């Protein structure tokens, strides 16, 4: 590696732990351990999660999780977080029985209640599906997908606005981070089929609910009640403020031009069809001009 490039790389790495505005969320820095839990309330039972959302980032998952938590039978996990990112940390090294027990401790709940989490990157993060299946083989899987074109732009905006400005990067370092992290990460997470195929290796279709963000926006009550039915809780419940945006961000990057959007849509066209082939409930007409 040339010395100039090596020096630049070392500067980037050195600056990562020095955020300007905020530190990284705890779930991203390490897997949780038993000492992170508050004492178990009397009458609560430790069990594996009743549901786990595994996709997809920037597709309305925070909105949908907030509607789940409104249901009187759904309780928050013991860490009080939507995204636990637990399985990310084990990478290719495998997961132990003790680590599986620790994961399940996060979902203790009162009798007749259900509990879960929603880590949107699980679907595309290698080995997460295997570790989830070992840890919670009977859990129900929630997936919320968005037009890959819009999802990609939304993630680029999020990473540019939220992550990039958290680091003390100079101009060259910002460019490298945008080019090799933000852009690639946003593209890769709009590829759904690799993760969906991996998911189907470990979970039967009967335990998987695939929703579309665009359909949820048009008919939120109908789609959240579908979700409640899938989780086997009362689907007559109507959450309050069902249309209220959650984690909505202004755009700090330019939207796609007509030509750029066409190019990106053409790039993802086969991917969209492959997604529909795996899960025919996907309506590609909702993704044509969304």
């Amino acid at each position: 590696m040339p010395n100039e490039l090596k020096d630049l790389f070392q500067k980037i790495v050195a600056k990562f732990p020095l955020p300007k505005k905020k530190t990284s969320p705890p779930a991203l820095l390490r897997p949780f351990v038993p000492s992170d839990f508050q004492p178990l309330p009397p009458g609560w039972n430790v069990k594996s999660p009743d549901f786990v959302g595994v996709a997809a980032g920037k597709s309305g998952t925070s909105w949908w999780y907030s509607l789940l938590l409104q249901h009187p039978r759904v309780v928050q996990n013991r860490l009080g977080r939507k995204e636990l990112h637990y399985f990310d940390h084990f990478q290719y090294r495998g997961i132990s029985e003790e680590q599986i027990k620790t994961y399940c401790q996060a979902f203790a709940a009162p009798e007749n209640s259900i509990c879960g989490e929603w880590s949107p990157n699980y679907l595309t993060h290698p080995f997460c599906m295997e570790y989830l299946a070992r840890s919670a083989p009977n859990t129900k899987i929630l997936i919320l997908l968005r037009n890959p074109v819009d999802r990609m732009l939304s993630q680029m905006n999020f990473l540019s606005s939220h992550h990039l400005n958290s680091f003390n990067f100079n101009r060259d370092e910002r460019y490298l981070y945008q080019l090799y992290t933000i852009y690639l990460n946003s593209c890769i997470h709009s590829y759904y089929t690799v993760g969906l195929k991996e998911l189907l290796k470990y979970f039967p279709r009967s335990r998987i609910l695939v929703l579309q963000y665009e359909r949820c926006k048009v008919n939120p009550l109908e789609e959240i009640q579908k979700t409640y039915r899938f989780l086997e809780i009362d689907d007559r419940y109507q959450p309050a403020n069902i249309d209220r945006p959650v984690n909505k961000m202004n755009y700090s990057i330019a939207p796609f031009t007509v030509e750029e959007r066409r190019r990106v849509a053409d790039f993802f066209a086969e991917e969209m069809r492959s997604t529909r082939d795996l899960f025919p409930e996907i309506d590609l007409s909702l993704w044509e001009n969304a």
Side-chain angles (χ1 to χ4, degrees):
M1 178 184 291
N3 288 335
E4 290 183 2
L5 184 58
K6 183 176 180 179
D7 290 343
L8 181 57
F9 177 78
Q10 290 175 338
K11 288 179 181 178
I12 293 175
V13 172
K15 291 185 178 183
F16 264 48
L18 300 173
K20 287 181 180 178
K21 298 180 179 179
K22 58 178 71 175
T23 57
S24 299
L28 299 180
L29 297 176
R30 62 172 177 82
F32 57 82
V33 294
S35 60
D36 292 320
F37 300 130
Q38 295 296 319
L40 193 66
W44 285 41
N45 301 311
V46 173
K47 56 187 177 58
S48 60
D50 298 284
F51 65 89
V52 177
V54 300
K58 312 317 297 176
S59 298
T61 59
S62 293
W63 169 42
W64 221 241
Y65 187 73
S66 74
L67 298 180
L68 289 177
L69 288 182
Q70 285 194 47
H71 196 286
R73 281 196 57 198
V74 180
V75 297
Q76 178 66 285
N77 58 63
R78 292 174 71 191
L79 293 163
R81 299 197 299 260
K82 169 203 167 201
E83 302 179 19
L84 301 187
H85 293 282
Y86 187 70
F87 301 112
D88 304 359
H89 299 280
F90 304 109
Q91 301 176 26
Y92 51 81
R93 295 186 295 270
I95 187 169
S96 69
E97 290 301 319
E98 194 61 35
Q99 289 162 338
I100 289 173
K101 290 179 182 178
T102 297
Y103 181 67
C104 292
Q105 286 183 48
F107 306 101
E111 193 70 30
N112 203 36
S113 296
I114 67 172
C115 183
E117 64 142 328
W118 201 317
S119 294
N121 65 312
Y122 279 170
L123 188 71
T124 50
H125 202 290
F127 301 104
C128 279
M129 290 299 98
E130 176 188 343
Y131 300 155
L132 175 58
R134 281 193 56 200
S135 303
N138 297 316
T139 194
K140 293 192 173 183
I141 303 295
L142 299 175
I143 294 174
L144 183 55
L145 301 181
R146 184 181 184 183
N147 182 332
V149 179
D150 297 309
R151 200 221 65 82
M152 174 184 166
L153 182 66
S154 181
Q155 185 167 4
M156 286 196 300
N157 179 67
F158 171 75
L159 294 177
S160 297
S161 303
H162 185 72
H163 284 189
L164 187 59
N165 292 330
S166 296
F167 300 116
N168 296 310
F169 288 156
N170 62 34
R171 185 184 62 183
D172 291 343
E173 293 163 349
R174 288 176 67 89
Y175 179 77
L176 287 172
Y177 190 76
Q178 287 174 322
L179 185 62
Y180 293 107
T181 298
I182 291 177
Y183 174 65
L184 284 179
N185 187 288
S186 300
C187 289
I188 289 169
H189 283 271
S190 280
Y191 272 97
Y192 304 139
T193 55
V194 172
L196 291 173
K197 288 178 181 178
E198 185 74 4
L199 173 68
L200 289 169
K201 287 168 53 178
Y202 296 102
F203 292 92
R205 289 175 184 269
S206 61
R207 305 196 71 82
I208 303 170
L209 178 66
V210 176
L211 301 162
Q212 277 182 276
Y213 171 78
E214 293 78 13
R215 186 180 278 133
C216 292
K217 289 289 289 183
V218 174
N219 295 305
L221 181 58
E222 180 179 330
E223 295 302 301
I224 193 61
Q225 289 178 331
K226 179 195 297 183
T227 310
Y228 292 156
R229 285 195 299 275
F230 174 72
L231 296 177
E232 299 181 86
I233 54 181
D234 187 0
D235 66 349
R236 296 169 296 177
Y237 180 76
Q238 298 188 19
N241 303 314
I242 195 169
D243 294 315
R244 180 176 59 85
V246 176
N247 290 347
K248 184 176 181 179
M249 293 184 65
N250 294 324
Y251 272 72
S252 62
I253 65 173
F256 292 135
T257 65
V258 172
E259 181 180 355
E260 289 169 343
R261 185 175 181 85
R262 177 196 55 75
R263 182 178 296 115
V264 176
D266 288 346
F267 181 79
F268 283 117
E270 181 60 33
E271 168 66 17
M272 294 184 198
R273 289 191 291 269
S274 297
T275 301
R276 189 270 321 277
D277 291 344
L278 286 173
F279 289 91
E281 57 266 43
I282 293 292
D283 182 356
L284 291 187
S285 70
L286 297 175
W287 287 354
E288 288 178 355
N289 298 298

